Amino acid sequence: MVSLNNLYLYTFFMCLIYFNCEAYRILVISPFNSKSHNNMLESVAKALALKGHKVDVISHFELKNPPKNYSTILNLDGTMPKFVNSWTMEMVDIFQNIDLIPTMIRDFGNNYCDLMANEKMQKIIKNPPKDPPYDLVITEALATNCYFGFGHLLKVPVVAVSGLIQMLWFDEILGNPMSSAYAVNMEMKAERITNFWDRVKNHFWAHYNNYQFFKYTEKNQTEVMRKYLSPDMPNIREIEKKTSLILVNAYQSFFGIRPLAPAVVQIAGLQIELSDAKLTPELKIWLDESMDGVVFFTLGSMVIIEDFSKEVLLGIYASFAKLAPIRVLMKVVNKDKLPPGLPKNVLTMSWIPQIPVLRHKNTKLFMTHGGLNSVQEALYFGVPMIGFPLFGDQPLNIRLLADKNVVYTMSYKEISQKSLDKALHAVIYDPKYREAARREAQLFRDRPMSAKDTTVFWVEYIIRNGANSLRSPAMDMPWWQAELVDVYAFFFISLLLISYTTFFIFTKFTCLICSIFNSNPQNHKKRD
């Protein structure tokens, strides 16, 4: 009988021979302390570790039960103000009335670059591992492009991961077509581009937001890289051009068709495929017994439901009470802050494993703020939604899904017993929402490869084939050449010259004919 050790050895050599299963060492830096943003980077790291690669992670969140090759080498927890369960409705109101890009760069960008000063991070910067060295750096694609400098420092490719939709400045960085004629910008208040003025506004906001991003990051982030990484670091704009690949938390069935360069890869749903979250025994029993259905209500990882006004909460109570025997599962961090009178069909919990709840057969409706991970998780399992977006990308996420009849949308400022009664009745009893959710779930899942396999393949592809293997020629061209401004100008000027020349020749020819006709003696006799 073959021993177990020999079997492992045989399997290892067969893998090397037939599948080129070379293990790489990868550094993953997740600088932003938002749980939802970190989920995407954490999921990418987990997928690579499960494939056998050695993954070292710098993050504000330490993964529970990590795979064997997954190591958190620096936990940044406590180095920045908390975002988890810390946002009030007053903060949401303030955030809705700000200039988004400068605020994002100031509060979630440039200030996070200063984490490079952390003593433990400086040890990694000055003494990176050499046995073996890193083969790749993965970091977030949002507003902290300073961390792309780790690739230049370690002389390895950089892969960016966007926890949100594809931010427009990464189109410019990677030479990807901006597609503002039909790809809706977050600043737009519509889900589609339908007319000339929509295209004007959409194109303006695309370029204006890019201008703001590059303006407010260039000086600060270049200085930070030179201060904490190396005094010889190039300008941040040159560092960005070395980006090899971006993995985007989006998919075509959700955000629509648009051209994508090979270096832009969509991996929406990755965190769902890799989730090992489980229901507690008590919650599983409660869900299993909820044969009439469950409404799941949460505002995500940042905003707390109990901060709604007493009037709004009492209206929510009254509306939920009418649903019985349908049950309601509601995330409430501090139950003591709720007014008395919670209906008997409502269960509150301070932490709820979202994916297994949405997967459960008795979950009939998801009430959500519209965070990208949340709506995609509901979409994946075909659960219709009521959406009341708060800020950021959430309004666009909800508008796009409402256009597909997957979401009933309403303003969080207009939540009352009457408005909620109407929304709950529509989504629970009108079959169009359930049917649309099932159809969109099928489209969302229908892919040539799973999000996990797609992620691993393209990261390995960059390591195998080099940092420039997917590089677009547009990255080495000025914008006016990439957009064919000079070609259109040539055509326009050529048309003007041809038109002028034709007109000039025609005028001269006409004058010549007229002079010949007038100089003919017979014409004079006829006149006489």
Side-chain angles (χ1 to χ4, degrees), residues 68-82:
K68 181 180 179 182
N69 299 321
Y70 183 113
S71 302
T72 301
I73 61 172
L74 175 54
N75 188 341
L76 296 170
D77 184 33
T79 59
M80 299 297 285
K82 296 283 187 181

Side-chain angles (χ1 to χ4, degrees), residues 223-276:
E223 289 176 353
V224 167
M225 289 192 305
R226 289 172 179 169
K227 181 177 181 180
Y228 297 123
L229 293 178
S230 169
D232 300 324
M233 292 293 293
N235 184 283
I236 185 69
R237 301 286 86 92
E238 294 302 315
I239 290 294
E240 290 166 345
K241 288 182 179 180
K242 296 182 179 182
T243 307
S244 299
L245 175 71
I246 181 170
L247 302 171
V248 184
N249 190 14
Y251 191 61
Q252 63 198 31
S253 69
F254 186 166
F255 289 99
I257 304 300
R258 59 172 300 180
L260 296 176
V264 180
V265 175
Q266 299 181 329
I267 60 166
L270 176 64
Q271 85 281 8
I272 306 169
E273 294 178 10
L274 293 174
S275 174
D276 54 6

Side-chain angles (χ1 to χ4, degrees), residues 31 60 74 76 79-80 105-122 125 143-147 150 219-229:
H60 297 265
L74 175 54
L76 296 170
T79 59
M80 299 297 285
I105 293 167
R106 183 192 68 224
D107 295 343
F108 315 133
N110 292 345
N111 53 335
Y112 280 81
C113 292
D114 289 320
L115 288 174
M116 292 182 190
N118 180 282
E119 183 180 351
K120 292 182 179 179
M121 194 178 294
Q122 278 296 304
I125 290 169
T144 52
N145 293 2
C146 51
Y147 288 93
F150 274 79
K219 182 176 182 293
N220 185 285
Q221 297 200 15
T222 299
E223 289 176 353
V224 167
M225 289 192 305
R226 289 172 179 169
K227 181 177 181 180
Y228 297 123
L229 293 178

Side-chain angles (χ1 to χ4, degrees), residues 26-32 37-38 40-42 44-45 48 56-59 76 112-113 116 121 136-151 157-163 170 221 236 239 243 245-248 459:
I26 298 167
L27 175 63
V28 177
I29 307 171
S30 182
F32 186 32
H37 287 247
N38 182 77
M40 283 307 296
L41 284 114
E42 185 179 89
V44 169
L48 293 165
D56 294 341
V57 179
I58 298 174
S59 169
L76 296 170
Y112 280 81
C113 292
M116 292 182 190
M121 194 178 294
L136 184 85
V137 169
I138 297 175
T139 191
E140 183 167 21
L142 183 64
T144 52
N145 293 2
C146 51
Y147 288 93
F148 293 12
F150 274 79
V158 172
V159 171
V161 178
S162 175
F170 283 96
Q221 297 200 15
I236 185 69
I239 290 294
T243 307
L245 175 71
I246 181 170
L247 302 171
V248 184
V459 170

Side-chain angles (χ1 to χ4, degrees), residues 20-40:
N20 190 26
C21 294
E22 183 178 356
Y24 301 113
R25 189 167 193 176
I26 298 167
L27 175 63
V28 177
I29 307 171
S30 182
F32 186 32
N33 60 332
S34 163
K35 184 65 176 174
S36 58
H37 287 247
N38 182 77
N39 279 348
M40 283 307 296

Side-chain angles (χ1 to χ4, degrees), residues 431-487:
K432 77 174 184 180
Y433 290 98
R434 175 68 60 179
E435 291 167 2
R438 288 172 178 164
R439 181 182 67 252
E440 294 300 324
Q442 181 180 357
L443 290 172
F444 191 70
R445 290 175 176 233
D446 195 0
R447 314 181 192 191
M449 285 197 299
S450 68
K452 175 187 172 184
D453 290 342
T454 301
T455 299
V456 171
F457 174 83
W458 287 109
V459 170
E460 291 178 340
Y461 182 95
I462 292 296
I463 299 175
R464 287 195 305 268
N465 298 296
N468 296 326
S469 53
L470 297 177
R471 186 180 180 87
S472 168
M475 295 174 71
D476 301 313
M477 301 169 69
W479 70 269
W480 50 272
Q481 288 185 5
E483 297 291 338
L484 295 175
V485 172
D486 52 343
V487 174

